[in-house]
Every structure is written in C-alpha cells, then in structure tokens.
Amino acid sequence: MVSKEIKLSSEFKTQTTKAIASIITFVLVYILIFLLSVALTAACVYGGVMIAITIPRLFGIALGIGLASLGFMVLFFLLKFLFKSNKVDRSNLHEITKKDEPELFKLVSEIVEAVGTSFPKRVYLSTEVNASVFYDSNFWSMFFPVKKNLHIGLGLVNSTRKEELKAILAHEFGHFSQRTMKVGSYVYNVNQVIFNMLYDNDSYNKVVQEWASASGYFSIFVIIAIKIVEGIQWILQIMYGVVNKSYLALSREMEFHADEIAANVTGYEPLKSSLLRMTLADHSFNTVLSFYEGKISENLKSENIFKEHQYLQNFLAKDDEIPIVNNLPEVPIEELNRFNKSKLVIKDQWTSHPSTEDRIKKLEATNILSEEYTNDLANELFYDIEKTQKQLTLELFKKVKYPETPTSNSLENFKLEFEEEFEKNTFSKVFNGYYDSKNPIPFDIDAHKVSGSKNSIEDLFSGKIINLIYDAIALENDIESIKRIAYKTVKIKTFDYDGKKYRQKESNALILKLQKELEEVNNKIKQNDIDIYNFFVKAEDKNNTNRIKELYSKFFDFDEEYNSKIEIYTKLSDKLQFINFNTPFDQIKSNFRNIKPLESELRDGIKQLLNDDSYTSEITKEMKRAFESYIIGEIEYFGHERYFDDNLEVLFTSLNGFGYILSRGYFLKKKELLDHKVSLLESNK
C-alpha cells in the first residue's frame, strides 16, 4: 500500500494545521451566532405571546405572530444548510460494469489496491478530456462514510497511454487514501456551509417575501430579520475569506500529495507526460466541438468525435513540430512556457491547483522510475473502443437541436474541411510566428523613404526578433499586474520581479522603469516592421507593381477605423452588464434610455458591414436575420416590469455579431497583406 509509505511534507502539515485552525475559528463564531439567535428566537416568541395576550384582537395577534416569526427567520437562515444537498449532474454520464469492460475494471482494482482505498460504487464514462472521483455530498457526509464514484472521460482515454491513464486514476484515488486528507473534505464542507448562507439564498428569500406579503404587520419584522441576516453575512464574509484561503492552500498541497501517490504506483514519467499533453488534448477536443457547432445549420453531426479528436491533436502537434510517438503527441516540457517571458512572480493564494510546471518539478524530485512504462494506448483497455466511442458520440449529439434530421460526417470529409479552414485562418510558416501575436505597427508610409537595408528574410523573422515580441507582451502584462498591486486592487504586500523582492509601495517606481523598457522594445519592433516594409517594397520593384504599398495603406486605414468601431462594441457591452443583476425597474428604464446614442452608432456600423461585399461570406444566416431586425429602428427591451427576451436576443446577437465581424475583418485584411508578401517571396525565388 503506497500511501502508507509516503511521508507528509512539512508544508502539507503546516497547511493542514492552518486549515484545522480555520475550521475551529468558524465553529466557535458560528456557535456564538447560533446561541445568540436561539436567545433572540426565545425572546421574540415570548414577546409575541405577551403581545397577543395583552392585545387580544386581530391587530395584537398579527403583531405577536410577526414578532415571533422574526426569531425563526434568523434561526432558519442559520440552519438551512443542513437540508442542502450537492448532487453531481449525471445526465452526461454513461454507466459501465465489470462485465462491459473487464480490462478497465482490472486496472482500477490494481490501482485501489496499490493506493489503499475502496473500489468505486459506480464507474461512469463521459466524452470529456477529464477524470474524477466524485460523490453526492451534504453537511452530514462529513460524519458518515460516503461511497465514491469514478468518472472517466473518453476524451482523456483517447489522449493517453495505459500507464498514463493508470497514473491519472491513481492521483484521483490518492485524494482519499489517507485520513489526513479528510481535513480537506472538512474545510471544503465548511466552505460550502458559508457559501450557502452568503450566496445560495434564492429559496430563503422567496419564503421570506411570501411571508412578508401575507400581512403588512409581518413585513415590518421581515425587514428587521433581513437587516440581522445582513449583519451575520458581514461576519461570514470575513470567515469565508479565512476558510477559503486555508482550503485553497491545503488543496494545492493535496494535489502534490496525490501526484506523489501516483508516482509511487506508476513512476513519475506517465503522469508527467500526460500533464504535458493535456492542454493540447483539451484544446483539440474543444476545436472539434466548435467545428460541429458551426455545422448545426447544415444539419451535420459526427459519427465518431473521438476519431476526429485523435486526428486533430496529431495535426496540431505536427503543425507545432511536436513529435508523435505511437499516434500520440510527445509534448516536450519546453512547450509549457515557450512564449512566457514574464519576470513577475506572485504567490497566488486563490488558486486550488498548482501550476503544471510546479507539479512536474515535484514529480521529478521523487525520482521514482517504472520499468513497465510502455507505449500501449489506453484505448486498448476497452473491449470494443470504437463501438463505445460511437455510442457516446450519438448521445452527445442527441442533445443538439438541428433544423432538420442531421446526417453523419465522415472522418475524411472532416479532415478536408478542417484543413481547408485551417489554411484560411492561419499565416504562412515563412513568418516564423512573427504575426501570430502582433499586427503590423502603423507608420507614415508617404513620409517614409525606402532605405537600402540589406536585411534578409531570415534576419527579419529570426528567433531573436520573435523573442522581442514576447518580451513586449510579457512587459505589458507585468505592468498591468503591478498596477493592480500599486492601486491595491490585489492585496499583496511583497512580490518578486526578475529575482528581486519588491514591496507594494515600490510598485510605482518599478512601473516607470518597466514602461521605459517597453518603449525601447516597441521601438525596436517598429523599426523591424519598417525594415520588413522596405524589404517587400524592393522585392515588388522587380515586378514593377505598387501593390504592397496599397495593401499597407489599406491595412493602416482599417486599423484606425477598427479602433473607433470596436469602442462602440466595448462601451455598449459594458453598459448592458446591469441585465445580469437585480436592478430596480426605474433604473432599468433609465439604463436603456442612456444606451440609445450608442445603439444609433451600432446600427450605422451594422449597415456599413451589410453593404460591404467583403463580409458577405462571413455573416451567418442567424446573424443577418438579427442585423436586419435590429437596423429597422428602435426596439423596446423592457415594459410591464419584465424584460422582452426576444428583443434582447436580437440586441445581443447583433452586438456580438458586430464585434465578431469587425475582428474577422481585421484578420482578413491582415491575411491579405501577408499572403501578398508570401506570393512576392515565391515569385522572387
């Protein structure tokens, strides 16, 4: 049993102690509030009875009942979490048994025996790129044993080898293998109790409002009860921060601990290689889903989404020059932070999981190797994996509403369509990724004299130049992060930058220093952009055309126009945020009146898009219908104390469509310019 062999780290013990202290603090505070609430309830009941006896009329009885209810409303607020159950939604899960998948169940048996925990109550499959051990929980699950269930996503199986899947499942079961891990469960449940009283109050508010509407006398005491509850919530808000911080700190240590358990079961390499592949696997699966989301109007669905997922993760890996071993990408650790040039180090106290990089460092430190690590795929554990994949694909697409009966897409057709779309939406490799995260920086073409620069295409798009771009991105992000520290938006006393420790009050001086560095880097990038322009102007001179200058001018004009138009989208989106919150009726009406000038600008912008032939193929049927409905004239979104949902849908479809088409237009103008550069290079070879 490997869990008994693993010693808890000093950091794990420290965080466990802090977590226990936070639980004890909460319990003491809660008991004090509860006892005061009981005393209040007793006093209210006694006072209510005395009022009813003293004033034996309808008025007195109503007043007495109202007063008595005050205490019960506060008491019920403090106890309602006892009746709350957190059930996991299983509508997307497909249960399997040992009879269905004997090899998989054999693997799970080996894991639970090695880890020292119990076999799951039920085993489920889903389409996800994920695995988890879960159970339905409530307050009482802290005191009584609960049988766990195992969930395995076929997207994960599709992206792993046998030993990698074994390591991932060993990690999940590792969370339940030691009694010390129970502390995490207690902290989690205390967190849920506080969350219930702070934010999960819809049912409680409904009951209280119904009670208040029963009588004007009752409403007086409801208002008082609400004020008392708000005071309790103010105290709980403080407790939530304390308990949540300790829970998240312990959760991070629990992840390291579960990783170590997995390393003891399989060696550290399987979990390491699967961690490195997960971002690619997840992105690939979501890309396939997005592809079919765009095919709903064409009534097209997948026959086996996992075949397409497997193809796509290998296609994207090859595009990034990641090696493929036995039909799976072997993602190197260098890929993790290839473009992350940030020098800012802030200890994130509000994340539940450590970074992949930190997890891999800890795994490698175990130095536990396995002689059994092979390249056998996890899919081979299943009796008939293709049949299972098709079944889950069918269940996934059953939930999609199609205009007509859908037809199944073949893998070959998916490949052809995806590769065609990919080609249309990516830039040539000749630029070495130079334009992937930046746009040509505007400069005055007419005032610019073409120099006799002797830069080669290799110099202009060298690795050194690419690094400059990511240096600039990192500096921009770091400056924004440090500004949040300087303005105390993020409450951090100290942080590290480039290996040096800084205090919060030193932030402003560091910001000025970094802004100067950013300006210098951006000037170098801009000069390189000008050198690129010179290079292609000279390349075009051989063909006696002036197309490159025309495309640059066209792009710079569009860049300026884009900035002003996208501002309409941004401002209107911000001003419509009130719809997501409870807002007084008068304020809702006022808000809609205030956005009318912006709506007028939006309508003008949409009309221009509809009249521009270059966007015809980009505007979907749904988008066009919304655009045409929206530009007719002013629309009412609220009346008779309710929102008009159909009209709001027209507004948001038009607004989001406007933002999308603008961004799409920017990309197309940029691609037009870059594709012409490629054609010049080919013609001048």
Side-chain angles (χ1 to χ4, degrees), residues 58-74:
L58 186 61
F59 164 72
I61 293 170
L63 209 58
I65 293 172
L67 179 59
S69 70
L70 166 61
F72 284 111
M73 282 187 282
V74 176

Side-chain angles (χ1 to χ4, degrees), residues 124-139:
Y124 296 96
L125 297 179
S126 79
T127 57
E128 298 172 28
V129 186
N130 191 21
S132 61
V133 175
F134 70 93
Y135 57 93
D136 294 330
S137 66
N138 55 36
F139 174 74

Side-chain angles (χ1 to χ4, degrees), residues 38-78:
V38 170
L40 174 65
T41 304
C44 288
V45 170
Y46 176 77
V49 171
M50 293 305 296
I51 288 173
I53 293 171
T54 307
I55 312 172
R57 285 177 294 180
L58 186 61
F59 164 72
I61 293 170
L63 209 58
I65 293 172
L67 179 59
S69 70
L70 166 61
F72 284 111
M73 282 187 282
V74 176
L75 194 60
F76 176 59
F77 171 78
L78 289 169

